[in-house]
Amino acid sequence: MASFFIVYGSETGQTAKVARFVERVLAERGHSVTRTDVRDATTLPEIDYDGIVVASPVVNRAHVPEIVDFVGEHATTLREKPTAFVQLSFASILPSEWAQSGAIEWVDALAQGTDWVPDRIGLFPGAVTYTEYDWPTRAAFRLVSAVTTGDTDTSRDYEYTDWDEVESFAADFAAFVESGADAQATESDAAVVETAAGGGSRTVTIGTPTRDGTPVEPVVGEAAAGRARLIATIAGVIGLAGIGYWLARRRRRPES
Ligand SMILES: Cc1cc2nc3c(=O)[nH]c(=O)nc-3n(C[C@H](O)[C@H](O)[C@H](O)COP(=O)(O)O)c2cc1C
């Protein structure tokens, strides 16, 4: 029996759900598991576990700040132990190459900032939980969804996480820890690639971007697509005006 520590951050609950699921997979293999919401833990336990799982969604192009702090604080321990990092994002829902490479770049940024390269990395599609969002977030996700997944019914939530893939990932990490960190990736439906980062090798599991694995065509009507384009154009003009204003102010500001 090995001991595992799972620490996660979650804004709207999907990563918490994944953390609970990973806990169950590990426990079913006979391991002892401690699972902690990074925000609930007033003091984090001294980490002395055989394997550590860190999980975070991407929110506004970054991981949950408390998770980043946790990794920074415990980087030495994380470098010495078998570790897995689980990332949930909207980008991983999308089959396009830019979205997929963007998803791994967030992990690269975390690894570079903390000098920690997890042994196993899982990039999984998250969820769009319209019913949990405030109206600006709901509107933003409706717009993004209109031009990507087509899932724009804001009266319900959309879960894209493939639980079989998360199970394979958790089982693979368990096998890795059980065998003294020598195990190779097990069979999985998800793409598993070996890459080098920061001088070490790592195994990245890339969750299937859509429910059935086929690229999604934007399933929006012409009118909706036209509205989305108009809003995007207005947002772009406002953004550019903001940058112009900022530059103008900077130029006028006297050198100190
Ligand atoms: C306010 C907000 C900002 C988000 N920003 C991003 C982002 O920049 N990139 C991305 O790929 N996904 C983004 N997402 C999608 C989340 O990563 C996804 O919904 C994930 O499942 C959320 O996990 P959680 O429920 O554990 O918070 C964002 C979600 C929210 C609510």
Side-chain angles (χ1 to χ4, degrees), residues 22-39:
V22 171
E23 176 184 21
R24 215 181 64 213
V25 174
L26 298 174
E28 277 170 4
R29 289 172 78 99
H31 300 305
S32 78
V33 188
T34 304
R35 176 175 49 84
T36 307
D37 180 336
V38 74
R39 286 175 181 161

Side-chain angles (χ1 to χ4, degrees), residues 10-15 57-58 60-61 88-91 106 126-127 141:
S10 186
E11 291 294 340
T12 50
Q14 191 66 9
T15 313
V58 176
N60 297 329
R61 288 173 288 132
L88 265 66
S89 69
F90 185 82
W106 287 310
F141 267 95

Side-chain angles (χ1 to χ4, degrees), residues 143 226-238:
L143 181 62
R227 265 199 313 276
R229 274 195 297 273
L230 178 67
I231 293 169
T233 307
I234 292 168
V237 169
I238 292 170

